[in-house]
Amino acid sequence: MNLNDLPAGADTDHQLTVAGKTYNSKLLVGTGKYKDFQETRDAVVASDTDIVTVTVRRVNIGQHQNEPNLLDFVPPGEFTILPNTGGCYNAADAVYTLQMAREMLGGHSLCKLEVLGDEKTLFPNMPETLKAAETLIKDGFDVMVYCSDDPIQAKMLEDMGCVAIMPLASLIGSGMGILNPWNLSLIIEQTQVPVIVDAGVGTASDAAIAMELGCDGVLMNTAIAKANDPIRMALAMRDAVRAGRNAYLAGRMPKRFAASPSSPMAGLMT
Amino acid sequence: MNAIQIELNGRPHPADATYTLADLVAKLGLAGKSLAISINREVVKRGDWPTRRIEAADRIEIVHAIGGG
């Protein structure tokens, strides 16, 4: 048996194209909540992702000047660094954060916008998200946007020029999985740019379900970082995203309320 | 020497009016690191650090990348 004997195209379409650039994986991973930078790197490598999110914070002045930097472990030459605006609760802070990130990364325009609504739910503040997206797009950013799973506002963000729509599947860091597949399906169906489920995935089956809905990608952090074995979970997520994509493209069998034998009855020895 | 006080990452910090941003970065031991700097919430491009002088009461922020999702 040799997988190379499969018909051409049998296992293709696992790439992701955002803002005109093609990446080799539909999985995007965050770098928060790991034990240390080495574990971060090991999990990122195991996930086989191309796109890694980071956040931007003040340097601790006068302390730990010789400590390693995250970007030494996930260098921009090896991965596409996607700066986010985690912790921002209004448009002005989010725009400023991404302007700083762009400068830090040498002018790189791809970013993840998230403007949060409150600390308990980390639900997006959509009016502020729309405001920030408009400013950032005018300023030349390619905006991938974390948003609610409301198809109307998702459409507004797409029409404005966001390069990826990233609705939550459930609350950030909750691991509750895909709670409203119907809304996600509505967004997937109407959207021309990539739809990436961002937030809520807890385990590999959640990632597969997201991909089976027809998403273009999944972005996750806590599901890998807070697994007992993050590296093993990163491998599971890599496989789940591919499995879900293949299942979506394969087209599932219809559900039926009666059994249907897999073995033919004809020629049965009685 | 012309001692001044600035606000650096939200805290008072002594500096000198002859300093450029590049001087400040070097004094802090941060030269060569992946950073971004703003003065009064305005991003200062890395290429301008050697010529941009610090003024009294400037609010300077120096940021770097950390883990996030």
Side-chain angles (χ1 to χ4, degrees), chain A residues 29-264:
Chain A
V29 302
T31 53
K33 302 181 180 174
Y34 286 97
K35 187 178 70 187
D36 53 34
F37 289 150
Q38 188 60 49
E39 187 184 68
T40 311
R41 178 179 172 81
D42 291 342
V44 165
V45 168
S47 76
D48 204 25
T49 187
D50 275 354
I51 304 180
V52 173
T53 67
V54 304
T55 200
V56 180
R57 289 289 183 272
R58 286 171 167 173
V59 169
N60 283 326
I61 299 297
Q63 291 174 27
H64 322 301
Q65 248 53 288
N66 294 318
E67 269 195 359
N69 185 282
L70 172 62
L71 295 183
D72 297 334
F73 287 79
V74 284
E78 196 178 350
F79 302 98
T80 293
I81 305 299
L82 185 65
N84 74 17
T85 59
C88 291
Y89 286 83
N90 61 64
D93 286 351
V95 169
Y96 169 59
T97 298
L98 289 175
Q99 286 170 338
M100 289 290 263
R102 178 168 63 182
E103 175 58 24
M104 180 184 75
L105 295 169
H108 155 101
S109 61
L110 193 69
C111 64
K112 171 183 161 178
L113 171 64
E114 56 178 294
V115 185
L116 304 173
D118 77 23
E119 287 176 20
K120 186 179 175 198
T121 64
L122 301 178
F123 222 76
N125 177 327
M126 291 305 294
E128 291 292 305
T129 299
L130 286 155
K131 208 160 98 185
E134 192 171 19
T135 306
L136 289 165
I137 291 164
K138 276 190 192 143
D139 194 16
F141 283 92
D142 292 318
V143 179
M144 302 174 72
V145 59
Y146 168 66
C147 55
S148 61
D149 63 0
D150 166 2
I152 306 304
Q153 296 191 94
K155 186 80 171 71
M156 289 175 183
L157 289 164
E158 183 187 6
D159 289 347
M160 199 179 271
C162 289
V163 298
I165 303 298
M166 305 205 291
L168 53 82
S170 50
L171 302 184
I172 292 176
S174 72
M176 290 289 286
I178 315 297
L179 295 188
N180 195 339
W182 310 105
N183 273 28
L184 292 176
S185 293
L186 288 171
I187 293 172
I188 291 162
E189 194 187 328
Q190 73 182 13
T191 307
Q192 306 303 310
V193 297
V195 175
I196 295 169
V197 158
D198 179 1
V201 164
T203 187
S205 51
D206 297 332
I209 289 169
M211 294 308 297
E212 285 173 22
L213 292 172
C215 283
D216 298 283
V218 181
L219 197 166
M220 65 181 72
N221 188 152
T222 313
I224 297 175
K226 286 297 159 198
N228 285 336
D229 181 346
I231 294 147
R232 180 75 71 161
M233 186 57 89
L235 292 166
M237 293 302 186
R238 174 199 67 183
D239 293 342
V241 166
R242 290 181 68 93
R245 182 64 182 171
N246 275 338
Y248 169 74
L249 292 173
R252 63 156 297 144
M253 61 164 279
K255 286 184 182 172
R256 40 187 293 153
F257 292 102
S260 166
S262 297
S263 307

Side-chain angles (χ1 to χ4, degrees), chain B residues 4 13 16 34-35 40 58 64:
Chain B
I4 55 171
H13 192 89
D16 193 286
S34 287
L35 305 169
N40 302 324
D58 271 347
H64 64 158

